[in-house]
Amino acid sequence: MRFVTHAIALAIVLLCIQAAAGQHIDDKLAASRLGLRAKKSGDAGQNEPAPSALAVWKASPGWLTRGLALPQGAAREALQIGELPTQNDVLIRWPDGSIGHVILTAKIPTEGRFAIHPGAEATGSFAPNLAACWVEFVTPAGTFVAKMPTTLPAAPDYWLQGPLMQNQRFQVTPVDGSGKAHPLLRVWFDAQCYQDGTGTIDVIVNNFLDVTQAAAVTYDVTVQVAGKTVFSQAAVTHNWRCRWAGNWPARSFMEASAVPDFEPFFSGQAMPRFLHTVPSDFPAPTGDKFSILREGYIWPFMPEHGGGGRPEDAPQTYWVARWLAHPESKVLEKATLRSADLAGSWPVHISNADGSDITIDKYPLWRMDRAGRPAGQGPQAAPPWRGSSPRLVPDNAHQPPLLSLLPYLVTGRRYYCEEMAYWANFCLLQTSPDAGGGGKRQGSLGLLWGQEVRGFGWALRNIADAGKWLPDRSPWKHYFIDKTRNNLAWLDEAAARPTQYGCHFQRYLVSYPPPDKDRNWPYVMLNLWEYSMLAYAIDHANQLGFSGGHNYRDQLARFQLNLFSAPFDRSQSCPYELKVGKYTDARGRQKEMFGNLQEAWDATYGNGLPATQIIGHYGVNARLLLQYAVARKMAGAEEALQYIDDLIQRQRGAYGMPDLLYRSGWAIVP
């Protein structure tokens, strides 16, 4: 007993010594200091902070600038990293005034675990010490150089600003030796300067001006920071509507590494929670396809029907889902950040010649992939993928989640923030304003329904995320908020006028009449798995704080549940194509829909066709819809979900593990 008493006393003394030092919490004592409890084996693998700690970061020595997404009401005033002087850059506030997203900066003296908690904000000021930086482009037309100024202008373009760190942008047009400007290239320098005179520089090279001479630019490029060559690459082909970025240290800058705590991201609905059993590894982002202006992990020709299982074609990319479940993984962190770096490789960017943004509010009839249209209705030059190499072609139907969303929330980099806006705007500009002469986008309303259903879903997901997580001061924010609300309102109206089986199926998969007769003629086909993507987008938008579309989502969930009862066998519950009607004319323009599921079953399975396998195919989509059915307490939903989970979450699939775990971006915790 005496030994135990002395041990407790010694522990108290050690805690007092550390508290007086005001530096960090030792790993071994973190739980007792903060009132932490170890998570159960079914959790994500982090310690859970006590009520007074909003998060706990494990960090190494150096300057730490990291973001934190918080649930509404969690914090209103300044936050502090341990007891260190901490700069707060609040980018988003919830409607009640509490912090939604904040970038915290502090200098970490020694490695340890640091509680993020309400506290005092650092005070003071400093004059930034800007390092010299320039970019040289050797082109067939001559050598052009962009130099970053080393003094601040009268009105600096600040991104982040406080007593410990300042981030400001300089926009520079490269010029040749005679002072002639390059007609297409523009360079943006984001200088992040710290109190001790060190820092980093983001160099962003853009080629997306909407001008008649717009085209790919070839060059050899060299980047110098503080007198040192930090990057060079020969024979770069920089396609139009694309950009690339690199981040380099200046003046012996030492950056702290940190293991993020994603618990507040989950509770704040910034990210869905994924099963902790998803793999903790992923191929490292190495090789040519991860160099500037390349595709990384993304399928380079998105419209290609390359089969299921693309790691980006899911509610979340596989690598991000795995990092959220395993935040300590440096490989997953690198995969996530490098994918965000390469978001600029895709031709989704465009601006007017004066640098102003092109939006459907300004140009209601604009369409991104149409050249040669009247002024204000499309780009002045041909789409960049015609004859380009590498051939990176984006679309809405296979569009990944915003590649830079989580990296932006974690790092606060301005480049990542902008990529969110460019990709979300592409979703709107790419949707036809006048498909079939019907004005499906309805101009500036931004309705997304006039395309493949999965394109509707993935695009809605992305514009909702942009509307929620862009900074409050961003001119893009309310643009995306309005478009999200317009689409949810359209879905509410659609749900009130169901077309078949209690659902509003606004788009069917066509079959083609002679001479292009296909295997499905003369049937009208329905791909329910595509609608699961739209249902996810509706639910996700509502999780973010938007309102609308609930009935549409629930109708889809009920329809999926109906496929688990007669005349369907549950093994037939996840079809690739469900035959729901017939064309009544030889040209395939008039159709008559079936009146009940028995007719649909007879046409789809009555001739003995085997059911689509659930594992490796559309079980993940059915699981998503059944989760919504369970949440709505629909009869039989729990049993149906259990059946699907038994197959895709517990049985070994084609990749040596359960299908759902390999396809991690679908492994959302109910």
Side-chain angles (χ1 to χ4, degrees):
M1 179 64 72
R2 180 177 300 175
F3 173 78
V4 173
T5 302
H6 283 306
I8 293 173
L10 178 60
I12 293 173
V13 169
L14 290 173
L15 287 173
C16 291
I17 291 172
Q18 287 189 329
Q23 299 299 319
H24 69 277
I25 303 168
D26 186 85
D27 286 341
K28 295 180 180 179
L29 299 175
S32 59
R33 170 72 181 274
L34 293 174
L36 305 180
R37 64 169 177 82
K39 278 187 170 279
K40 298 177 181 179
S41 60
D43 290 327
Q46 300 163 268
N47 287 326
E48 183 177 329
S52 60
L54 300 171
V56 176
W57 293 345
K58 183 177 180 180
S60 65
W63 281 107
L64 180 66
T65 296
R66 285 293 182 270
L68 188 64
L70 293 171
Q72 184 166 258
R76 297 180 182 276
E77 306 302 331
L79 300 178
Q80 208 167 348
I81 301 175
E83 302 305 319
L84 301 171
T86 304
Q87 175 177 318
N88 285 236
D89 287 280
V90 178
L91 299 178
I92 293 176
R93 288 193 179 273
W94 288 95
D96 68 351
S98 60
I99 297 172
H101 182 219
V102 60
I103 307 300
L104 303 176
T105 297
K107 191 167 188 179
I108 307 298
T110 56
E111 183 174 357
R113 294 172 64 88
F114 298 82
I116 314 303
H117 59 89
E121 185 172 6
T123 59
S125 63
F126 73 99
N129 187 7
L130 296 167
C133 180
W134 55 260
V135 186
E136 178 186 77
F137 305 94
V138 180
T139 78
T143 298
F144 295 80
V145 177
K147 292 184 178 181
M148 186 185 84
T150 54
T151 58
L152 291 178
D157 181 6
Y158 286 116
W159 175 245
L160 305 171
Q161 183 185 16
L164 303 181
M165 179 269 289
Q166 297 178 15
N167 181 297
Q168 51 271 311
R169 168 166 290 181
F170 302 88
Q171 299 189 29
V172 180
T173 299
V175 296
D176 65 12
S178 67
K180 179 183 177 182
H182 193 281
L184 299 176
L185 296 179
R186 299 295 182 266
V187 180
W188 298 347
F189 299 93
D190 290 345
Q192 189 148 302
C193 305
Y194 289 84
Q195 188 185 51
D196 62 358
T198 65
T200 65
I201 297 179
D202 258 7
V203 176
I204 305 165
V205 182
N206 307 300
N207 177 18
F208 54 67
L209 298 179
D210 184 33
V211 291
T212 54
Q213 68 268 38
V217 181
T218 59
Y219 52 74
D220 300 340
V221 62
T222 301
V223 180
Q224 276 206 2
V225 176
K228 297 180 180 180
T229 298
V230 294
F231 178 75
S232 64
Q233 184 168 324
V236 175
T237 298
H238 190 154
N239 288 323
W240 181 47
R241 291 183 5 199
C242 301
R243 63 182 194 156
W244 62 269
N247 179 269
W248 293 282
R251 297 199 180 98
S252 303
F253 173 73
M254 185 169 72
E255 182 179 16
S257 64
V259 176
D261 182 349
F262 289 129
E263 287 300 316
F265 289 67
F266 301 144
S267 57
Q269 305 302 329
M271 288 285 149
R273 188 189 298 273
F274 291 86
L275 295 171
H276 76 284
T277 47
V278 300
S280 58
D281 60 354
F282 202 75
T286 58
D288 289 344
K289 70 178 184 178
F290 290 94
S291 59
I292 63 170
L293 297 168
R294 290 296 303 272
E295 69 273 21
Y297 298 112
I298 309 299
W299 197 278
F301 187 70
M302 284 189 193
E304 184 177 3
H305 294 267
R310 295 188 193 180
E312 75 277 9
D313 195 7
Q316 187 51 264
T317 64
Y318 294 8
W319 56 89
V320 167
R322 296 181 186 186
W323 190 35
L324 289 167
H326 305 285
E328 72 287 347
S329 170
K330 290 302 179 184
V331 170
L332 293 172
E333 178 181 4
K334 289 177 182 178
T336 300
L337 296 181
R338 188 56 187 157
S339 294
D341 293 339
L342 296 178
S345 304
W346 297 81
V348 300
H349 318 77
I350 197 163
S351 74
N352 287 310
D354 62 2
S356 60
D357 298 319
I358 291 176
T359 70
I360 62 172
D361 282 351
K362 295 178 184 177
Y363 308 105
L365 296 181
W366 185 282
R367 181 165 177 177
M368 190 69 144
D369 62 354
R370 296 272 184 88
R373 293 166 65 95
Q377 295 187 24
Q380 297 187 46
W385 47 79
R386 293 181 182 174
S388 66
S389 179
R391 192 172 185 228
L392 305 186
V393 182
D395 73 350
N396 284 352
H398 305 85
Q399 187 165 145
L402 295 176
L403 296 170
S404 63
L405 172 55
L406 183 59
Y408 163 64
L409 293 175
V410 169
T411 69
R413 279 182 66 186
R414 190 172 184 174
Y415 169 78
Y416 291 158
C417 180
E418 292 168 341
E419 284 304 308
M420 292 166 51
Y422 285 125
W423 278 84
N425 194 41
F426 172 82
C427 293
L428 295 167
L429 294 176
Q430 184 72 1
T431 300
S432 175
D434 55 356
K440 293 185 178 181
R441 194 179 73 202
Q442 295 189 27
S444 61
L445 281 178
L447 300 184
L448 299 165
W449 68 272
Q451 57 190 305
E452 290 186 55
V453 176
R454 54 185 165 182
F456 188 169
W458 291 157
L460 178 59
R461 168 199 60 193
N462 287 359
I463 67 170
D465 271 329
K468 172 59 186 178
W469 295 112
L470 286 171
D472 289 340
R473 68 176 186 263
S474 170
W476 290 98
K477 189 176 184 75
H478 285 283
Y479 172 70
F480 295 123
I481 288 174
D482 290 344
K483 307 318 175 209
T484 302
R485 288 172 174 168
N486 292 345
N487 279 280
L488 292 174
W490 184 91
L491 287 161
D492 281 335
E493 295 175 2
R497 43 185 172 85
T499 57
Q500 195 176 16
Y501 311 127
C503 299
H504 183 98
F505 294 123
Q506 88 276 9
R507 190 178 179 94
Y508 298 93
L509 183 67
V510 300
S511 58
Y512 298 95
D516 300 316
K517 185 175 181 180
D518 66 17
R519 61 186 174 84
N520 290 321
W521 178 260
Y523 291 104
V524 180
M525 315 300 294
L526 175 70
N527 286 354
L528 183 60
W529 51 271
E530 287 198 40
Y531 281 89
S532 73
M533 302 170 183
L534 178 55
Y536 171 77
I538 295 168
D539 190 74
H540 181 64
N542 279 270
Q543 294 289 335
L544 294 175
F546 293 96
S547 180
H550 307 84
N551 291 337
Y552 199 105
R553 174 203 61 198
D554 295 346
Q555 288 175 1
L556 295 174
R558 186 172 296 281
F559 182 80
Q560 174 66 76
L561 183 59
N562 287 341
L563 300 188
F564 281 81
S565 56
F568 288 82
D569 179 88
R570 61 185 184 176
S571 66
Q572 301 167 333
S573 60
C574 306
Y576 170 55
E577 298 166 332
L578 186 65
K579 296 175 181 176
V580 293
K582 271 189 174 182
Y583 290 100
T584 57
D585 68 316
R587 302 178 65 185
R589 295 185 178 181
Q590 302 294 325
K591 57 181 178 286
E592 181 177 309
M593 310 308 293
F594 296 147
N596 54 65
L597 284 176
Q598 180 66 58
E599 292 181 86
W601 185 92
D602 290 341
T604 305
Y605 296 115
N607 58 0
L609 282 178
T612 303
Q613 289 187 3
I614 294 174
I615 298 175
H617 292 84
Y618 304 107
V620 293
N621 304 79
R623 178 180 184 269
L624 205 58
L625 289 172
L626 291 172
Q627 286 179 333
Y628 306 141
V630 169
R632 300 299 294 170
K633 301 185 185 305
M634 297 181 188
E638 291 187 359
E639 294 79 3
L641 180 58
Q642 181 67 46
Y643 170 75
I644 292 293
D645 269 343
D646 284 342
L647 291 175
I648 67 173
Q649 192 178 160
R650 298 177 180 89
Q651 293 189 23
R652 188 178 297 273
Y655 296 94
M657 67 182 74
D659 186 41
L660 180 64
L661 303 187
Y662 174 77
R663 298 165 71 181
S664 310
W666 295 92
I668 297 172
V669 173

